[in-house]
Amino acid sequence: MTFEVPSGCKIMVEAAIRFLSLANQLAATTRRVRMKFEEGDTGTMGYLNRMGFFDHLAAEVEVLPSRPGYSAAEAHRGGNAALVEIARISKDVRDEDLPTRLTAALMRSCHTRPDAAELEGAAWTIFAELIDNVFSHSSTLLDGYAALQVYPKGDRLSVAVSDSGLGIMQTLRPTIGKEFPRLTGLSDTQLLVEIFRHGLSRHGPDRGCGLKGSAAKAIKFQAVLDVRLPRQRVVLIPARGAYKVNTADCYDGLPLMWGTHIGFGFRLGG
């Protein structure tokens, strides 16, 4: 499988770590994977190298014109306040400091907001919950990833967490009839909204509050929630203090990608 990145192509941070996860998934299933960057180091390849993309890319993946010979992320780690380099989320080794690093990067860009103190606490909780969800429940041998990027010209900040595990729907659907019979007829989009609004878990109604808590805090700051499922992408737009089905954009029939990939988009100015 060949991925071609043409001249002038710009990749947002949430797309970058989904691209990384997909390539590693394909490599893990013994597919031959090639990435062709038309502009080489002067274009998107250089940006991806700066955020540590190639540090985590499977060695079997071929990169053209050539894989970078050094890690720009390691050479400049922490030197850009607007970027948190891609961090690995391993099921075996928990990075306890990652939520704090992501929160600190967010606050460097949002410290002038009148609600900065409240945002800082909410952001740490969101990051900790999402990362813990990958660490505890993804059931995969592949790594998960987290990254953050500030886009000053667009007045927004994006946080992305990606894992290659079983996925929300794949773990929840088999237990719906027993644990939540009233939800058996819901579409994936409707069920996803239920997960983030009310908290659902394959382990029963008293579990699964992590994603609900993250969404509740994010909604206070009008964060757009972007979720990529195996064959769907759902973008939840805040409306009157909640995420609702009628304000969600859903894209079906997408190429298969394992796991759950979640992005939050905050406005810098509040």
Side-chain angles (χ1 to χ4, degrees), residues 239-261:
R240 295 188 295 278
Y243 295 117
K244 300 180 180 180
V245 173
N246 62 355
T247 60
D249 293 327
C250 184
Y251 307 85
D252 291 308
L254 301 180
L256 176 63
M257 183 163 64
W258 303 333
T260 303
H261 314 267

Side-chain angles (χ1 to χ4, degrees), residues 26-241:
L26 291 168
T29 56
T30 68
R31 267 61 169 190
R32 292 182 59 192
V33 183
R34 176 185 295 122
M35 296 180 178
K36 295 176 65 177
F37 294 90
E38 187 173 310
E39 292 178 304
D41 283 335
T42 62
T44 298
M45 178 189 281
Y47 167 68
L48 293 179
N49 189 19
R50 174 62 187 85
M51 68 188 307
F53 182 94
F54 299 102
D55 300 351
H56 302 287
L57 183 65
E60 301 90 336
V61 176
E62 181 183 4
V63 179
L64 299 176
S66 63
R67 186 181 283 247
Y70 76 103
S71 170
E74 286 299 324
H76 302 93
R77 186 168 297 279
N80 182 351
L83 171 70
V84 172
E85 294 84 359
I86 294 174
R88 182 173 73 103
I89 305 172
S90 167
K91 69 178 182 64
D92 300 316
V93 181
R94 186 188 294 265
D95 184 349
E96 301 286 358
D97 190 49
L98 182 55
T100 299
R101 296 202 307 273
L102 289 169
T103 302
L106 184 150
M107 296 313 300
R108 284 195 290 270
S109 299
C110 299
H111 67 280
T112 59
R113 290 173 55 131
D115 58 354
E118 184 181 4
L119 174 61
E120 183 173 15
W124 192 93
T125 300
I126 290 170
F127 301 147
E129 291 284 6
L130 292 179
I131 292 166
D132 184 68
N133 208 54
V134 175
F135 186 88
S136 302
H137 306 299
S138 65
S139 300
T140 178
L141 297 178
L142 296 175
D143 292 330
Y145 303 102
L148 179 151
Q149 175 74 68
V150 176
Y151 300 97
K153 292 183 179 179
D155 188 36
R156 66 185 287 262
L157 177 145
S158 293
V159 177
V161 178
S162 176
D163 80 80
S164 295
L166 295 176
I168 293 176
M169 296 304 168
Q170 283 63 34
T171 56
L172 187 58
R173 278 288 183 195
T175 65
I176 285 289
K178 177 183 177 181
E179 302 291 350
F180 309 97
R182 67 181 179 85
L183 305 179
T184 53
L186 295 186
S187 67
D188 281 354
T189 301
Q190 292 169 325
L191 188 58
L192 189 66
V193 171
E194 286 290 317
I195 291 170
F196 283 102
R197 292 184 68 181
H198 302 298
L200 303 178
S201 170
R202 58 178 164 165
H203 300 295
D206 296 326
R207 304 286 295 276
C209 292
L211 294 178
K212 173 189 173 184
S214 297
K217 292 183 179 300
I219 199 72
K220 291 183 179 181
F221 302 96
Q222 296 298 299
V224 174
L225 180 56
D226 186 333
V227 185
R228 176 59 155 90
L229 303 173
R231 290 196 179 274
Q232 285 183 315
R233 178 188 175 208
V234 180
V235 181
L236 298 172
I237 312 296
R240 295 188 295 278

